[in-house]
Amino acid sequence: MAIPFRSLTRKLEHRKRKSTRPFHPVKINTQHIRSLKGKQPVTALAVYDATSAALASEAGVDLLLVGDSMGNVILGFPNTLPVTLDMILHHTAAVARAKPASLVVSDIPFTEAHRDADILLAAAARCLQEAGAEAVKIEGGVTMADKIRRLTAAGVPVLAHIGLLPQQIYQMGGYRRFGKTPEERESLLADARAVTAAGAFAVVAEMVDHETAGVIARDIPVPLIGIGSGPHCDGQILVGQDVLGLTPGKTPAFVKAYARLGEEVKTAFSNYVREVRERKFPT
Ligand code: KIV
């Protein structure tokens, strides 16, 4: 029996009111992300495809990063260094096609980030014009501030990234926590201040000592979005696959899996294989 349209919309409204999920009525922009500072933690996920983007948006995630973590997470590379601008554009376009309410941010690969400012601006422009991103993320603090200023002056919103910089992994000598010593704390604070002064609308802090992250969050006027940087940040970002429990092998200690989809997927695939072999599917 067909349900009358009025009663269907009333039912949906009722469900929306009852739901504990945050509901995003409008498209989220960088101003909204900034305005969350001091009011509500920013929620962010790294995602790389349209399906995940749609689900994350419906779940109320504020910001979707099309991160170069796609290198390790979905493309089978050992780290983020082989990720090219074309790969970022391809996956950003997929995420943007889902038309998420969440802000869509493209990660700038290290090749583009460290060539001259015109090349960086051209790369960022491609993310916005061709792929549908609404902002870009760039790794680096004081040393990248001039380039961030150039981008923001041109109207490209920038999410900065300090602390552990995976694109500098060979230089940094491995994955570790930053900001434990007074010298590193000062240096990270200087990074956060420099990128903020250059116009970044928010700053990602990766693997920063928890107390240091708190000091930085209290110091800067924009949200500090942590990953492995503890509870004193103004928001959190994780890799979507890690949250879903889809990542094979060991994940970093700070990751929290909210589901065990890896196990479920394996079970579903094995059931399919068995049923096909036993001629139970198709019926
Ligand atoms: O590439 C990425 O996904 C990232 C986040 C995890 C911060 O840089």
Side-chain angles (χ1 to χ4, degrees):
M1 193 187 74
I3 306 170
F5 182 68
R6 283 270 292 286
S7 114
L8 191 63
T9 47
R10 234 179 287 132
K11 259 191 196 142
L12 283 173
E13 279 306 315
H14 179 64
R15 203 175 302 158
K16 219 183 279 170
R17 273 198 304 275
K18 262 183 54 183
S19 167
T20 52
R21 283 191 325 199
F23 177 64
H24 284 159
V26 288
K27 180 76 184 126
I28 292 187
N29 54 26
T30 54
Q31 287 76 14
H32 178 75
I33 301 286
R34 275 189 82 137
S35 76
L36 292 176
K37 174 99 183 178
K39 292 192 193 122
Q40 184 179 303
V42 177
T43 56
L45 282 178
V47 298
Y48 323 102
D49 65 277
T51 306
S52 308
L55 293 171
S57 171
E58 278 180 39
V61 177
D62 297 312
L63 184 154
L64 299 178
L65 171 68
V66 186
D68 62 1
S69 53
M70 70 174 70
N72 331 44
V73 179
I74 58 163
L75 299 178
F77 293 126
N79 53 46
T80 62
L81 296 179
V83 174
T84 63
L85 180 61
D86 282 340
M87 294 174 192
I88 295 286
L89 293 172
H90 181 76
H91 288 277
T92 301
V95 166
R97 268 180 229 121
K99 301 203 184 331
S102 335
L103 183 78
V104 177
V105 183
S106 285
D107 219 353
I108 296 287
F110 97 113
T111 33
E112 273 67 28
H114 296 286
R115 287 157 81 194
D116 74 31
D118 285 336
I119 292 178
L120 172 59
L121 181 56
R126 289 191 69 193
C127 293
L128 270 57
Q129 290 182 320
E130 293 175 29
E134 293 143 337
V136 298
K137 177 171 82 61
I138 298 177
E139 290 186 11
V142 170
T143 56
M144 295 304 282
D146 283 343
K147 285 181 172 168
I148 293 175
R149 189 170 294 106
R150 174 85 194 280
L151 289 178
T152 55
V156 179
V158 176
L159 173 61
H161 182 152
I162 63 170
L164 173 70
L165 307 178
Q167 293 176 2
Q168 311 287 318
I169 198 62
Y170 294 133
Q171 178 99 316
M172 289 183 151
Y175 295 96
R176 68 169 179 89
R177 191 167 294 285
F178 289 79
K180 282 183 168 171
T181 62
E183 294 74 26
E184 277 195 1
R185 177 174 291 192
E186 278 312 308
S187 153
L188 284 172
L189 197 52
D191 282 337
R193 286 175 176 163
V195 296
T196 307
F201 71 88
V203 181
V204 168
E206 181 160 358
M207 288 290 281
V208 170
D209 171 74
H210 297 188
E211 293 310 315
T212 297
V215 168
I216 298 171
R218 284 191 293 278
D219 187 84
I220 60 172
V222 300
L224 186 73
I225 305 175
I227 172 158
S229 300
H232 309 305
C233 298
D234 304 300
Q236 298 294 326
I237 181 163
L238 283 175
V239 167
Q241 246 83 352
D242 290 345
V243 170
L244 297 175
L246 273 171
T247 313
K250 247 186 115 188
T251 50
F254 61 79
V255 164
K256 179 168 177 185
Y258 286 80
R260 297 269 161 227
L261 293 198
E263 291 306 314
E264 292 210 23
V265 169
K266 222 181 332 171
T267 305
F269 285 167
S270 326
N271 288 343
Y272 167 71
V273 166
R274 184 177 39 76
E275 288 200 359
V276 169
R277 287 191 181 140
E278 291 174 0
R279 298 190 182 281
K280 287 189 175 148
F281 176 82
T283 48

